[in-house]
Amino acid sequence: MIEDWPPLPECIQTARCLLRPFSTADADDVFAYRRDAEVLRNMQVALPFRREDADVFVATQVLSDWHERCVWAMEQDGRVVGGVSLRIARGKRRAEVGYELARWLWGGGLMTEAVSAVIDEAFRRLPIIKITATATAANVRSIRLLKKLGMQREALLRQHWVHGGRVLDEVRYGLLRDEWQPHAAARFEQ
Ligand SMILES: CC(C)(COP(=O)(O)OP(=O)(O)OC[C@H]1O[C@@H](n2cnc3c(N)ncnc32)[C@H](O)[C@@H]1OP(=O)(O)O)[C@@H](O)C(=O)NCCC(=O)NCCS
């Protein structure tokens, strides 16, 4: 039965980081990377991001219902440097992944590693058939990451967002269960 879906693990250890639930004590760490407008440039988050916004952000993550939306803080060297979320639509047997990373760590493949681990857990433990992701068309890093994960572009929504005075197109990506195993196997064999 759909209601019997098991919860995803609260902690996932990858080679370089620990994914674990947010705590209210993480607000300073979150502020340290979210105060950088470049991190929020392609996300629907009001700017500027203030210290009190970090308190609200972590409180929201802490209160999130784990059965509906899993959200992991990404911890490296005892510090939160980002987050990965997975919103689960049980009725549709689908999940939507989201992520953010401190700018000083961009380009090192850390988020590819973290999101891969989450996708792996989701496909292994839940009877979902598809994982989706959205990005602004301008978010080249995020799109590159989605392609590296084997995601296929499925839609372009033109002039779909207005953010920070910019009108942005949105792209939607999807990864089917059947596509993940061969893709993951090929990647790990390299
Ligand atoms: C999206 C995000 C998590 C990516 O993190 P990252 O550490 O750069 O990710 P990775 O290093 O795993 O992969 C990024 C890829 O983009 C590539 N890239 C970087 N700049 C690029 C550019 N201008 N054009 C094309 N590709 C680019 C990198 O080379 C890398 O690919 P490679 O491993 O093949 O070399 C990070 O940029 C981020 O947190 N951004 C802000 C929040 C955000 O936008 N979240 C997503 C909302 S949809």
Side-chain angles (χ1 to χ4, degrees):
M1 262 176 58
I2 282 171
E3 291 73 22
D4 294 338
W5 287 17
L8 289 181
E10 292 193 344
C11 294
I12 304 173
Q13 181 71 59
T14 75
R16 287 180 289 170
C17 67
L18 171 67
L19 298 175
R20 50 89 169 156
F22 273 96
S23 126
T24 50
D26 296 329
D28 282 332
D29 288 352
V30 166
F31 183 57
Y33 73 78
R34 272 199 159 214
R35 67 190 301 180
D36 177 352
E38 200 53 39
V39 170
L40 301 181
R41 185 173 162 75
N42 288 294
M43 296 173 71
Q44 283 180 304
V45 178
L47 298 171
F49 189 82
R50 297 155 305 165
R51 177 59 184 77
E52 53 267 39
D53 297 323
D55 286 326
V56 174
F57 174 83
V58 292
T60 306
Q61 313 315 308
V62 169
L63 292 172
S64 183
D65 178 350
W66 198 260
H67 289 271
E68 302 286 326
R69 180 173 172 266
C70 306
V71 55
W72 294 270
M74 199 168 158
E75 187 183 306
Q76 199 184 45
D77 300 329
R79 181 178 189 190
V80 173
V81 292
V84 182
S85 66
L86 193 75
R87 184 174 291 283
I88 301 165
R90 292 171 188 229
K92 295 169 181 152
R93 292 182 55 196
R94 205 162 72 202
E96 167 100 8
V97 70
Y99 41 82
E100 60 186 52
L101 181 66
R103 181 143 63 122
W104 60 85
L105 292 170
W106 288 5
L110 191 60
M111 191 50 86
T112 304
E113 179 182 308
V115 178
S116 290
V118 166
I119 290 176
D120 222 41
E121 291 289 349
F123 275 137
R124 234 158 23 88
R125 294 177 191 261
L126 305 177
I128 50 172
I129 49 183
K130 182 175 185 178
I131 295 180
T132 60
T134 65
T136 68
N139 198 345
V140 284
R141 284 180 175 275
S142 184
I143 290 169
R144 175 80 190 119
L145 187 156
L146 294 172
K147 287 181 179 165
K148 280 197 287 181
L149 292 168
M151 289 217 174
Q152 303 280 327
R153 180 165 153 160
E154 297 186 337
L156 166 70
L157 304 180
R158 296 171 305 153
Q159 301 191 358
H160 201 63
W161 291 8
V162 181
H163 181 56
R166 295 182 302 154
V167 178
L168 299 166
D169 293 347
E170 178 178 295
V171 283
R172 294 198 176 164
Y173 280 75
L175 177 69
L176 305 181
R177 168 179 290 278
D178 295 347
E179 293 165 345
W180 174 244
Q181 280 312 333
H183 174 80
R187 229 162 41 83
F188 293 127
E189 274 163 18
Q190 280 168 14

